[in-house]
Amino acid sequence: MTEVSASILTVEKDNATQMFYDLEVAKINYFHIDVMDGKFVERDTTSTMKDYALTISHISNLGLDVHLMVENVEEFMDEYLMLEPEILTFHIEATKTEERTKNIIEQIKDNGTRVGISISPDTDLEKIKPYLSQIHMVLVMTVVPGKGGQKLIPETLDKVRELKNYIDENGLDIDIEVDGGINKETAELAKEAGANILVAGNYLITAENLKEAVQSLK
Ligand code: DX5
Ligand code: ZN
């Protein structure tokens, strides 16, 4: 079954609450929270995303799918674990050492939260293989992290395919999430490649009919 995680990165403050309601009514599965620290990526969305995540946790029962694009993973992990998200994802490019990566995985798990590791387009799949048996999800970035509304990089779907094969061959039980440039057409390709959770920002937020847009991804 395919699940849809709505990226609220480009939602305007003025109509944010209404948009969150509309997304839930349109049957998304998660709210995708893009936390950017101005260091790991250029933009800084820390205060807006904190606001949005708090609002959502007050008005919705849907799970938060938190995507940390930050250097100081520990700091933001602590901050977001307090909101009891469904999934907390950090970037393998940010943690660098094996000891640190394992520590973060353990801390997220201790909180009863599902652990995701994200991998940017230029990073080799080998980098995350040692952790696959310990995590719940891999977030394959299908664009360079940093902003919404970009075009999906086709080569990233080869990575999804390779990952899916590796997961199946090793009898692992891990979700594959894709993020960036997902629309009706690219969703089809991503699912074919092996993804089962699709993040969509621009495609949903600008849709005329949200229900149909969510349905078209599933
Ligand atoms: C990019 C973010 C994505 C992005 C998705 O750095 O991680 O979640 O906002 O937006 P679209 O679907 O517009 O590419
Ligand atoms: Zn994201």
Side-chain angles (χ1 to χ4, degrees):
M1 196 191 66
T2 305
E3 294 186 311
V4 172
S5 190
S7 164
I8 54 167
L9 186 62
T10 59
V11 169
E12 302 284 348
K13 272 217 161 87
D14 299 348
N15 72 335
T17 308
Q18 184 63 46
M19 181 55 89
F20 301 152
Y21 273 118
D22 293 348
L23 285 165
E24 181 156 0
V25 170
K27 296 205 160 63
I28 59 163
N29 300 91
Y30 310 98
F31 286 98
H32 183 85
I33 313 290
D34 284 309
V35 185
M36 303 180 180
D37 65 351
K39 295 183 197 130
F40 184 78
V41 291
E42 221 174 286
R43 264 185 79 185
D44 183 340
T45 65
T46 49
S47 76
T48 314
M49 287 304 129
K50 195 60 196 293
D51 263 18
Y52 284 2
L54 276 171
T55 304
I56 291 166
S57 56
H58 284 132
I59 64 170
S60 172
N61 285 323
L62 288 183
L64 297 180
D65 166 29
V66 179
H67 177 193
L68 298 180
M69 284 165 276
V70 303
E71 277 180 3
N72 191 341
V73 178
E74 291 83 350
E75 179 191 340
F76 290 94
M77 170 184 78
D78 287 345
E79 198 177 311
Y80 276 91
L81 282 179
M82 286 196 274
L83 299 179
E84 298 185 351
E86 179 85 23
I87 311 167
L88 187 64
T89 299
F90 61 93
H91 269 263
I92 193 69
E93 299 85 7
T95 53
K96 297 189 175 83
T97 72
E98 193 176 324
E99 194 193 345
R100 190 176 168 204
T101 309
K102 285 193 165 156
N103 241 314
I104 292 169
I105 293 173
E106 281 315 312
Q107 287 186 59
I108 300 173
K109 275 190 182 168
D110 284 349
N111 199 68
T113 294
R114 281 154 71 191
V115 185
I117 295 188
S118 183
I119 177 165
S120 292
D122 286 342
T123 305
D124 205 282
L125 204 53
E126 294 303 319
K127 288 256 160 35
I128 60 165
K129 282 186 179 166
Y131 310 106
L132 291 180
S133 62
Q134 302 153 50
I135 64 172
H136 305 88
M137 187 184 88
V138 175
L139 194 180
V140 177
M141 286 305 301
T142 40
V143 298
V144 175
K147 54 178 191 278
Q150 304 182 71
K151 271 213 164 87
L152 177 139
I153 302 167
E155 291 75 26
T156 58
L157 295 180
D158 297 334
K159 195 184 271 173
V160 172
R161 221 165 277 123
E162 195 187 329
L163 175 64
K164 173 70 177 151
N165 285 337
Y166 185 86
I167 288 172
D168 289 348
E169 278 165 13
N170 289 277
L172 298 166
D173 181 20
I174 311 179
D175 291 314
I176 303 179
E177 180 173 62
V178 285
D179 184 9
I182 296 297
N183 54 39
K184 194 177 161 185
E185 287 78 32
T186 53
E188 206 52 56
L189 301 174
K191 285 190 277 186
E192 256 168 39
N196 67 313
I197 307 179
L198 311 176
V199 176
N202 226 41
Y203 178 66
L204 294 181
I205 306 306
T206 62
E208 268 171 34
N209 185 327
L210 256 183
K211 264 189 193 162
E212 275 176 24
V214 171
Q215 209 44 48
S216 73
L217 297 177
K218 288 188 177 178

